[in-house]
Amino acid sequence: MSVSIKSAREIELMREAGKILGKVYKEIAKEIKPGVSTYTIDRIGEEIIRSYGCIPEEKGYQGYPASFCVSVNDQVVHGIPSKNKILRDGDIVSLDTVLSYKGYMADAARTYGVGEISSEAKKLIDVTKQSFFEGIKFAKEGCRLHDISNAIADYNESFGYGVLRDLCGHGIGTSMHEDPQIPNYRQEHRGIRLYEGMTLAIEPMVTAGDWRVNFLDDGWTVETRDHSLSAHYENTVLVTKEGPEILTLEN
């Protein structure tokens, strides 16, 4: 494992990338409504990313055909946008994208309610988001990587939710996926020590039921095996001596 420590210049570029991605999500959230296709969400999202002079790095990554992953209800991640997939009142939809600014990347995901959603769906979205914040309490120099993992797992499982084992968070920088891998489920060992200047994409992927998933024949979409609802929340985080700096929050 080779975990990069970013220089002051690199951190400033990643801050700018993250700031832009936060703005992208603030704008795209306005388009999440009943009657809109997931294809339209992706198209508008790509236009917003490019309007800031950034590159949508998901598009073409290992053959992925879109700029956003758009995953609805029991789809956990990597849902492929489609003109035939129309958002309906009561759905929940997860968006996940990566952009680059001057060669440096920012990664974030959000789950939104479409119209009026059930109290159960809202709770899942809120708990998933809060589990991220429980995890990053340990994203500071001197803590261990799996302190983050265990905090995320313990918080979600206290609500009876499932936490994916098949996918995890990761380091990020000039590449979309760098070391280290960051599990969201409980680990036996505490993992590597964290140092100031590490940049991590921390992303709880949580189900209202069992954690087991199926990988669909399209080569991308991951859905819950029991078809329970799923939520996803992610930010790019800078490790500092004082604590985490979240680079991708909406302002």
Side-chain angles (χ1 to χ4, degrees):
M1 184 183 295
S2 176
V3 181
S4 66
I5 303 295
K6 305 304 189 294
S7 67
R9 174 184 171 276
E10 289 176 310
I11 289 169
E12 283 307 309
L13 290 170
M14 291 192 71
R15 281 196 180 109
E16 186 61 26
K19 180 180 177 181
I20 292 169
L21 186 50
K23 292 178 179 179
V24 170
Y25 272 111
K26 186 174 183 179
E27 294 181 40
I28 199 68
K30 301 171 186 176
E31 308 298 329
I32 307 296
K33 62 188 79 170
V36 176
S37 73
T38 58
Y39 171 86
T40 298
I41 296 297
D42 174 67
R43 178 180 56 78
I44 293 172
E46 179 177 345
E47 290 173 357
I48 296 170
I49 289 173
R50 294 191 185 279
S51 76
Y52 285 103
C54 295
I55 297 171
E57 292 289 346
E58 293 277 5
K59 194 166 190 177
Y61 176 75
Q62 295 186 358
Y64 187 74
S67 297
F68 280 73
C69 300
V70 188
S71 308
V72 181
N73 293 333
D74 63 347
Q75 295 176 343
V76 187
V77 287
H78 304 161
I80 299 174
S82 169
K83 293 179 180 179
N84 298 321
K85 187 66 174 179
I86 308 299
L87 298 181
R88 293 178 171 82
D89 190 67
D91 286 342
I92 62 174
V93 57
S94 299
L95 307 185
D96 186 9
T97 196
V98 180
L99 63 73
S100 63
Y101 170 78
K102 296 186 178 180
Y104 284 83
M105 301 199 189
D107 189 356
R110 303 284 185 267
T111 300
Y112 302 98
V114 181
E116 293 294 324
I117 64 172
S118 68
S119 58
E120 292 82 4
K122 185 178 186 304
K123 180 180 177 182
L124 175 66
I125 293 171
D126 291 345
V127 168
T128 301
K129 179 178 179 178
Q130 184 58 36
S131 74
F132 165 86
F133 288 97
E134 295 298 319
I136 67 165
K137 291 176 181 178
F138 300 95
K140 61 183 178 181
E141 185 164 287
C143 289
R144 299 276 185 169
L145 182 69
H146 294 160
D147 295 340
I148 298 172
S149 306
N150 294 344
I152 289 171
D154 291 350
Y155 189 77
N156 284 301
E157 290 174 358
S158 73
F159 290 89
Y161 292 153
V163 182
L164 259 66
R165 270 60 162 177
D166 299 84
L167 298 162
C168 61
H170 50 89
I172 187 169
T174 55
S175 297
M176 186 185 304
H177 296 113
E178 299 182 352
D179 286 335
Q181 291 192 344
I182 310 168
N184 295 304
Y185 55 97
R186 178 159 274 282
Q187 301 294 298
E188 181 179 351
H189 302 290
R190 293 184 66 198
I192 63 169
R193 189 175 297 279
L194 300 177
Y195 292 97
E196 186 170 40
M198 290 181 175
T199 45
L200 309 173
I202 299 170
E203 51 177 322
M205 290 163 273
V206 182
T207 78
D210 193 87
W211 61 264
R212 294 172 178 82
V213 294
N214 291 326
F215 292 77
L216 302 191
D217 290 341
D218 63 18
W220 287 100
T221 307
V222 180
E223 69 177 21
T224 56
R225 193 171 295 178
D226 61 5
H227 298 293
S228 60
L229 291 178
S230 178
H232 185 194
Y233 187 82
E234 175 184 21
N235 284 299
T236 299
V237 175
L238 171 67
V239 176
T240 78
K241 291 180 180 177
E242 293 75 29
E245 179 182 339
I246 305 172
L247 303 184
T248 48
L249 284 183
E250 298 90 330
N251 294 316

